[in-house]
């Protein structure tokens, strides 16, 4: 609590001392003087609440001093109590009250009356100070409301009519405040949104919500609409609204939504194109590989066998290029998955090293492997992608090294608890890379020199894939090189140390010529590519399977209506009715047992979501093109044996 300042003015020092002794307490601050002139100075410099003024003083008496106080705006509100020894006649009292006094104390002073009167006026002074502070606060608030850039309004909670509104309504909506007073705030909202806005206000009132925020379009005077954010407070049957123009933010949000929708359309178009490209490229390659496999089962002379070997190498090379292009496309589309699992890292490293050792020996290049003895046995990583990274880097190094060495160093840089930082360095003594080309070699379809493709071959995608894979795994790829002396590619990553690897499922290897015959199995093939129709038909007939072939989903439905089949092999991309639509139709519209006929998707799709789409459509399994006969045989055998009503794989 702030102290109340009390001024004592008396020409006799002993009277002042007596009053100070009488009034002294902790919640007041006493100031005193024997000079009226000095009293004026003190009152000017200090906020005086009460003044005890002696009437009879030389030069300037008490009445004159009080008149001076009252004539000055700074001191006019001081509560004046006259202290006098003169008569109590009415004329003196009237004169004192006329000058502005609020009371009299008569000498000799009664201590109890004096203390009681002063205490009462102290309380009055405090009340006046509070009222003054509130008035100043209200004045400031009124100025703030009047000059606010936001609309500030009070609304009757029953009728929703405006009780007050500030001038900002003219700037934001074009209305004068007097034009909208006593009108419903709901009527100011865009007509299509009025019901929703009314329900929002009703909900706030009915549920006694103290604060809420809502965004609605308001109709301006010139009929255009303005997006307004309403911050609503509810208290004592009155709604208080603070309303801001958020049209720029809304416009930005709409632009973002449109941009996202356009981005989604572009992404979808790209995914559709990639899916189509995958199908169109991999489907004929599947036919080539399948026909090559079938031709090997026929009687061939030495020259024909050599030609088939060349055809096989060429088709596998073409498939590698297709896979590179699709890998880049999938990474850019955000559809490339890294799947870490507990694996033996040395096995992955050695599998790549051993695979390329023969190629390096053929070229007379020394292939060297150094693995840090501190490298743990089992780490959490994606073996397939690490294999792909190392295979690309090492085969690249071998390709661009005419003599000398290619070295793979694997070192543990740091260990924190169960996490280790590992660096892989692939160094070579090859042709090297010019300094001005180092920042280009990771770009798609770029090579170190313009004539590199003509001299060494390749698509220029290998290093791009490596960089993207390393970054997807959370690592970093760097390169140092000197033209004519060799290059070193390094990548680092953190790996978690784990206890043991996941045991792979045992794989039963069956030679192509020794596959068991099926017994009494009828298969429907749905495939629109003539080469693949022929290849699949020949393959299945070699397994003693009865085959019907159609080229679209509509004919699948017609055939299944007319005949019973033990399994359906269906391409997903077909004219008229695609594989997904056909599978859904079978699962929904056919009766048992045809509804549950096993369906294998034979698709050139490489995206995970496409394979999942096939399973969601009701297909039992997915086999991606190109595939080996053994893979198809195993899936057919499993599905036929899983369905009791179907025939056994071989005659017993």
């Amino acid at each position: 609590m702030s102290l109340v300042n009390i001024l004592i003015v008396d020409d006799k020092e002993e009277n002042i001392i007596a009053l100070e002794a009488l009034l002294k307490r902790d919640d007041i601050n006493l100031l005193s003087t024997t000079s009226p002139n000095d009293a004026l100075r003190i009152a000017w410099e200090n906020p005086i609440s009460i003044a005890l003024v002696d009437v009879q003083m030389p030069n300037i008496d008490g009445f004159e001093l009080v008149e001076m106080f009252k004539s000055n705006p700074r001191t006019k509100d001081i509560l004046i109590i006259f202290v006098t020894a003169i008569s109590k006649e009415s004329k003196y009292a009237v004169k004192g009250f006329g000058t502005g006094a609020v009371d009299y104390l008569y000498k000799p002073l009664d201590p109890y009356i004096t203390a009681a009167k002063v205490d009462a006026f102290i309380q009055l002074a405090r009340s006046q100070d509070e009222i003054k502070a509130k008035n100043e606060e209200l004045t400031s608030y009124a100025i703030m409301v009047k000059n606010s850039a936001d609309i500030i309004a009070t609304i009757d909670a029953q009728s929703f009519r405006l009780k007050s509104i500030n001038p900002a309504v003219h700037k934001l909506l074009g209305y004068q405040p007097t034009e909208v007073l006593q009108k419903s705030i709901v009527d100011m909202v865009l007509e299509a949104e009025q019901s929703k806005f009314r329900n929002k206000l009703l909900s706030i009132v009915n549920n006694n919500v103290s604060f809420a925020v809502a965004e609605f379009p308001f109709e301006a005077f010139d009929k255009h609409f303005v997006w307004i954010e309403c911050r609503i407070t509810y208290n004592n049957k009155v709604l208080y609204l603070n309303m801001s123009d958020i049209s720029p933010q809304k416009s930005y949000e709409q632009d973002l939504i449109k941009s996202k929708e356009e981005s989604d359309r572009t992404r979808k178009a790209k995914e559709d194109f990639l899916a189509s490209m995958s199908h169109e490229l991999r489907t004929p390659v599947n036919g080539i590989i399948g026909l090559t496999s079938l031709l090997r089962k026929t009687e061939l002379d030495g020259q024909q066998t050599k030609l088939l070997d060349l055809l096989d190498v060429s088709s596998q090379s073409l498939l590698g290029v297709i896979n590179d292009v699709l890998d880049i496309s999938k990474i850019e589309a955000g559809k490339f998955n890294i799947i870490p699992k507990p694996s033996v890292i040395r096995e992955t490293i050695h599998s790549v090293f051993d695979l390329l050792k023969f190629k390096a020996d053929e070229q007379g290049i020394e292939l060297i492997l150094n693995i840090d003895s501190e490298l743990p046995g089992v780490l959490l990583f994606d073996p397939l992608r690490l294999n792909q990274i190392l295979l690309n880097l090492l085969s690249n190094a071998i390709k661009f090294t005419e003599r000398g060495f290619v070295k793979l160093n694997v070192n543990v840089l740091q260990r924190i608890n169960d996490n280790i930082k590992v660096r892989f360095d692939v160094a070579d003594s090859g042709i090297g890379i010019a300094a001005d080309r180092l920042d280009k070699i990771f770009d798609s379809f770029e090579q170190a020199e313009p004539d590199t493709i003509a001299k060494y071959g390749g698509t220029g995608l290998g290093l791009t894939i490596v960089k993207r894979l390393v970054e997807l795994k959370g690592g970093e790829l760097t390169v140092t090189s000197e033209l004519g002396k060799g290059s070193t590619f390094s990548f680092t990553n953190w790996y978690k140390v784990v206890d043991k690897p996941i045991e792979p499922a045992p794989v039963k290897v069956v030679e192509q010529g020794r596959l068991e015959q099926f017994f009494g199995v009828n298969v429907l093939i749905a495939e629109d590519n003539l080469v693949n129709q022929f290849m699949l038909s020949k393959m299945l007939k070699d397994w003693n399977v009865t085959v019907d072939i159609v080229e679209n989903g509509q004919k699948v439905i017609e055939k299944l209506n007319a005949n019973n089949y033990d399994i359906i092999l269906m391409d997903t991309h077909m004219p008229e009715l695609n594989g997904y639509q056909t599978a859904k139709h079978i699962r929904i519209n056919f009766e048992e047992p045809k509804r549950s006929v096993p369906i294998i998707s034979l698709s050139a799709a490489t995206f995970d979501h496409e394979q999942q789409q096939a399973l969601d459509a009701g297909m039992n399994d997915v086999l991606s093109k190109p595939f080996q006969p053994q893979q198809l045989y195993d899936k057919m055998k499993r599905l036929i044996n899983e369905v009791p009503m179907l025939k056994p794989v071989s005659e017993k």
Side-chain angles (χ1 to χ4, degrees), residues 372 411-415 420-423 492:
D372 193 334
N411 293 295
V412 176
L413 301 183
Q414 190 178 355
R415 179 160 187 162
I420 63 165
K421 188 177 186 180
V422 181
R423 186 179 70 210
T492 58

Side-chain angles (χ1 to χ4, degrees), residues 3-37:
L3 298 178
V4 173
N5 289 327
I6 298 179
L7 174 64
I8 301 173
V9 186
D10 197 305
D11 62 328
K12 293 183 172 56
E13 188 70 35
E14 59 272 20
N15 290 339
I16 292 174
I17 294 170
L19 268 173
E20 286 179 343
L22 191 62
L23 299 176
K24 188 175 183 181
R25 48 194 268 187
D26 293 338
D27 60 343
I28 64 174
N29 179 40
L30 293 173
L31 297 96
S32 60
T33 180
T34 58
S35 167
N37 289 323

Side-chain angles (χ1 to χ4, degrees), residues 313-515:
V313 169
S314 297
S315 60
Q316 292 296 336
S317 177
L318 176 59
L319 182 61
V321 172
I322 292 170
N323 286 338
D324 279 352
V325 173
L326 292 175
D327 277 353
I328 286 292
S329 301
K330 285 195 289 185
I331 290 171
E332 290 179 348
K335 297 292 183 180
F336 202 91
N337 293 325
I338 299 293
I339 307 172
K341 59 184 178 181
S343 306
V344 180
I345 192 165
R346 290 174 186 269
E347 289 182 0
T348 301
I349 296 168
H350 278 288
S351 67
V352 178
F353 182 83
D354 295 342
L355 182 64
L356 295 175
K357 186 72 168 67
F358 178 74
K359 184 179 179 181
D361 290 343
E362 271 189 335
Q363 293 182 211
I365 298 167
E366 184 182 8
L367 188 60
I368 304 166
L369 174 63
N370 295 317
I371 300 178
D372 193 334
S373 60
E374 297 296 318
L375 184 69
V378 183
L379 301 177
L380 190 66
F381 67 100
D382 187 332
L384 177 64
R385 301 311 171 195
L386 181 59
N387 182 295
Q388 194 173 359
I389 292 169
L390 294 176
L391 195 62
N392 264 301
L393 290 177
L394 286 169
S395 59
N396 224 38
I398 292 169
K399 180 165 71 172
F400 294 111
T401 302
E402 295 179 355
R403 62 180 179 274
F405 68 88
V406 171
K407 185 186 298 183
L408 171 60
N409 294 324
V410 184
N411 293 295
V412 176
L413 301 183
Q414 190 178 355
R415 179 160 187 162
I416 302 175
N417 299 326
D418 290 336
N419 297 287
I420 63 165
K421 188 177 186 180
V422 181
R423 186 179 70 210
F424 299 81
D425 298 304
V426 176
D428 64 65
S429 58
I431 62 174
I433 305 166
D436 62 345
R437 298 293 297 177
L438 280 175
D439 59 341
K440 297 286 187 183
I441 59 172
F442 296 114
D443 295 340
S444 299
F445 308 108
E446 288 281 351
Q447 297 278 17
E449 297 296 336
D451 64 345
T452 301
I453 292 178
K455 187 174 180 180
Y456 294 96
T459 61
L461 289 174
L463 288 177
T464 306
I465 292 172
V466 167
K467 182 173 176 61
R468 302 289 181 84
L469 286 176
V470 168
E471 290 172 350
L472 280 173
K473 289 162 65 65
E476 180 184 8
L477 178 66
T478 59
V479 58
T480 57
S481 185
E482 189 174 348
L483 199 61
K485 293 188 177 181
S487 307
T488 300
F489 287 84
S490 304
F491 72 92
T492 58
N493 207 345
W494 283 91
Y495 299 95
K496 185 176 179 61
V497 181
V498 291
D499 294 333
K500 59 182 179 179
I502 297 174
E503 294 294 334
V507 179
K508 181 181 178 182
V509 180
V510 182
E511 294 182 14
Q512 291 282 339
R514 296 177 57 192
L515 292 173

Side-chain angles (χ1 to χ4, degrees), residues 231-300:
R231 294 174 295 281
I232 308 167
T233 303
Y234 175 58
N235 184 43
N236 196 26
K237 297 182 180 181
V238 177
L239 290 163
Y240 301 88
L241 269 68
N242 188 300
M243 302 158 66
S244 306
D245 181 1
I246 57 168
S247 297
Q249 297 96 302
K250 277 292 180 180
S251 177
Y252 180 65
E253 286 176 15
Q254 292 300 318
D255 289 344
L256 284 179
I257 291 170
K258 288 178 182 177
S259 176
K260 183 179 184 302
E261 289 174 349
E262 182 61 31
S263 175
D264 289 343
R265 280 194 295 270
T266 303
R267 178 182 54 77
K268 182 66 168 61
K270 187 173 183 179
E271 286 182 11
D272 292 343
F273 170 75
L274 291 175
S276 176
M277 183 174 71
S278 172
H279 179 265
E280 296 302 322
L281 291 174
R282 293 167 70 94
T283 294
V285 174
N286 180 61
I288 295 169
I289 293 173
L291 291 174
T292 303
S293 177
L294 292 175
L295 281 172
R296 288 190 186 281
K297 295 181 181 179
T298 64
E299 292 185 11
L300 304 169

